[in-house]
Amino acid sequence: MADSALDNALMARPRVRAPGGRDPEAFAQMRLRAIDGPPVDFQPGTISDKAGVSAVPARGALQTLVDVWTAIQRNAQNANVPLGELAPQAAKAHDRAVASLRTAKKTVDDQARFLRERIEREALPRPDNHLSAEIRAAVSVTPGKAKQLALQDPRVAGAIAHGPAFLSGLDPDTQASIRAAAIRAHPEHAELAAREKASRKLQDAEDRFIAATASKIHSWMAAVPEGLGA
């Protein structure tokens, strides 16, 4: 983009230097353009293989984030890229990265929800009413063994989980603890936990990316003289 008459006039004018030889305008530009790069904890490799199929969209979104964030930082540090070009380019890239993170998070959340529902069906099956009543009656005789029995037989866990706690001789907190323990004991629980962790990381990445870049991009836009935008 060719320099305008105003650009040439501004470049040609004499500059007052601060004590120590520092150019106050150049220093202000440096501060205006300063932006932190992507944290190492948002690298794609931080998503565990245990997340299974959810690792693919999560890693892809984080790679897009890292690439965009790094490009914004690199262009901001390049004094040859005028703010009139930097601001709109950064804004467009910013929105692309955020959209990628949100799309991936929705995919990961859906996959985690489907897996959780399946784990709950398998770890906490619903016995028929007659069997459930018999199980609860038996558990209520020795409620101290309820957790042990539930972890040995999913039907016991299901009967306890799907009825009022008092029918099994338990308080609600103990019932909730047994329910959670049965889910944790499922062989696919580690994958579920990894998917949920990936979802939290994507949300954290979006929040920190916006916090680090949105106000900077806004300040770059505000600093572009009217009529000198890209």
Side-chain angles (χ1 to χ4, degrees):
M1 183 176 68
D3 292 338
S4 67
L6 178 58
D7 290 328
N8 292 330
L10 291 174
M11 292 176 63
R13 70 179 178 176
R15 300 187 177 188
V16 178
R17 294 189 176 275
R22 174 173 288 174
D23 183 339
E25 183 173 329
F27 181 65
Q29 280 289 311
M30 183 179 68
R31 291 189 60 185
L32 176 63
R33 288 171 171 267
I35 183 170
D36 292 333
V40 294
D41 50 336
F42 293 146
Q43 294 295 323
T46 60
I47 299 295
S48 172
D49 289 339
K50 292 180 181 179
V53 296
S54 296
V56 176
R59 288 170 178 166
L62 289 181
Q63 186 62 63
T64 297
L65 171 70
V66 170
D67 292 345
V68 166
W69 201 334
T70 301
I72 291 175
Q73 182 190 43
R74 183 175 60 248
N75 289 336
Q77 293 172 344
N78 185 354
N80 294 322
V81 179
L83 290 178
E85 294 180 11
L86 174 63
Q89 289 175 359
K92 184 177 180 180
H94 171 279
D95 292 347
R96 178 165 63 87
V98 170
S100 177
L101 289 168
R102 291 177 178 176
T103 298
K105 185 177 186 302
K106 182 180 184 306
T107 298
V108 172
D109 286 344
D110 287 344
Q111 292 170 338
R113 184 180 71 255
F114 295 149
L115 180 57
R116 172 172 282 279
E117 290 173 353
R118 181 160 61 80
I119 288 175
E120 289 180 352
R121 288 195 302 269
E122 295 175 2
L124 304 167
R126 288 178 177 270
D128 62 57
N129 291 338
H130 178 71
L131 180 57
S132 291
E134 289 189 347
I135 291 173
R136 291 168 189 149
V139 170
S140 67
V141 175
T142 54
K145 295 183 178 180
K147 184 174 182 179
Q148 176 185 349
L149 294 172
L151 293 179
Q152 290 174 346
D153 190 332
R155 295 174 300 175
V156 175
I160 292 173
H162 296 303
F166 70 87
L167 291 180
S168 300
L170 305 171
D171 60 75
D173 288 343
T174 301
Q175 181 191 43
S177 174
I178 291 173
R179 186 181 192 281
I183 291 174
R184 287 196 304 271
H186 191 279
E188 292 182 281
H189 180 264
E191 181 174 344
L192 173 62
R195 291 185 185 186
E196 292 174 339
K197 183 177 181 180
S199 174
R200 293 192 297 272
K201 181 178 286 287
L202 291 170
Q203 184 61 61
D204 187 30
E206 178 186 338
D207 293 343
R208 289 173 63 180
F209 176 61
I210 291 175
T213 61
S215 61
K216 273 292 183 179
I217 294 172
H218 180 75
S219 68
W220 296 339
M221 290 181 170
V224 178
E226 186 175 355
L228 293 183

